[in-house]
Amino acid sequence: MTEQDVERVARHNEQRQREYEASDLIRLLTDENTTAETKKAVLTYLQPWSNAFQRMISARVTFESDPELRALACEHQAEEVGHDKILARSRAEDRELVWDPVIEMGASWFVDQFAILPGVQRAALAHLALEAGSLVFSQAGTRAFPDDEYFELHDEADVEHLEMGYEVLRRRGDWTPEAVITVLDRAWQVIGVVSDRIAECARRDTVAA
């Protein structure tokens, strides 16, 4: 693939990132009028997604057979292991582990895609969608929760993990911009649905309380 193909994907994905920055969940975290209780409730519903993220990256490793891409998947997994437990420590006062069908179905879609997609699309899904979304969320999270270990860790690591995806596109020739963009569009839609659900549940629980 040419550098122009990579740039085409990057421009499209950056637009998706900007759209996500305007999402209900991100605005909830960055709005000074959002109560501390509602922000804490966001973390309650983030936990099952963070737990599921461990399944996602494990599925990527399990189903990847290409040696180069498997090595990258293993590196990514090694750097992400235990992040769900760090979030749990950040929620020390909130031991509740919630279950939500929308969050679970969104996570299951990603696990399924890591099982069936071709290797480069699998890498794009991990690095250009999940990590890009995590970066946007973490940047909002550091504003909502200053000095929080979980968000500080992700704010730094996610930039590097995002760039890994573009490096894969630059090195490999076994992909097309159309196929990668289609996968990314679907992924961003799922991320959007899950994020909207987290915001909805956080508001609902704190209003009810």
Side-chain angles (χ1 to χ4, degrees), residues 17 20 129-141 154-159 162:
Q17 284 179 255
Y20 186 50
L130 282 173
E131 290 293 350
S134 180
L135 176 61
V136 173
F137 182 81
S138 296
Q139 288 171 340
H154 276 261
D155 200 17
E156 296 172 4
D158 291 342
V159 174
L162 173 59

Side-chain angles (χ1 to χ4, degrees), residues 38-196:
T38 300
K39 290 179 180 178
K40 286 181 181 178
V42 167
L43 301 187
T44 301
Y45 287 91
L46 176 64
Q47 187 71 62
W49 179 257
S50 181
N51 295 348
F53 187 84
Q54 299 295 317
R55 299 200 304 273
M56 298 176 208
I57 58 175
S58 294
R60 180 189 176 195
V61 170
T62 297
F63 291 102
E64 185 54 74
S65 59
D66 180 283
E68 178 189 15
L69 296 176
R70 182 176 172 80
L72 179 64
C74 289
E75 178 186 352
H76 186 209
Q77 182 183 39
E79 293 177 356
E80 292 286 350
V81 165
H83 287 196
D84 53 330
K85 293 180 175 62
I86 295 173
L87 176 61
R89 287 203 301 270
S90 295
R91 298 172 50 240
E93 298 175 3
D94 173 20
R95 290 300 182 184
E96 182 184 11
L97 181 59
V98 297
W99 184 91
D100 181 81
V102 177
I103 297 171
E104 293 298 327
M105 285 187 288
S108 295
W109 181 86
F110 275 97
V111 171
D112 184 53
Q113 295 305 299
F114 282 124
I116 65 175
L117 285 174
V120 173
Q121 292 180 41
R122 193 182 283 127
L125 189 68
H127 295 281
L128 304 185
L130 282 173
E131 290 293 350
S134 180
L135 176 61
V136 173
F137 182 81
S138 296
Q139 288 171 340
T142 55
R143 292 174 59 183
F145 303 96
D147 303 319
D148 184 279
E149 179 186 10
Y150 178 81
F151 289 107
E152 284 187 343
L153 174 66
H154 276 261
D155 200 17
E156 296 172 4
D158 291 342
V159 174
E160 178 186 347
H161 291 163
L162 173 59
E163 185 55 33
M164 284 178 177
Y166 292 120
E167 283 300 314
V168 168
L169 298 186
R170 292 186 185 100
R171 289 198 308 268
R172 307 280 298 212
D174 51 337
W175 62 279
T176 65
E178 293 78 14
V180 169
I181 286 172
T182 295
V183 168
L184 292 176
D185 278 345
R186 291 173 181 173
W188 280 111
Q189 288 181 67
V190 175
I191 289 170
V193 168
V194 170
S195 296
D196 287 348

Side-chain angles (χ1 to χ4, degrees), residues 18-28 30 136 192 195-196:
R18 288 191 292 272
E19 291 169 1
Y20 186 50
E21 287 171 358
S23 69
D24 194 27
L25 178 60
I26 302 305
R27 287 187 286 109
L28 183 72
T30 55
V136 173
S195 296
D196 287 348

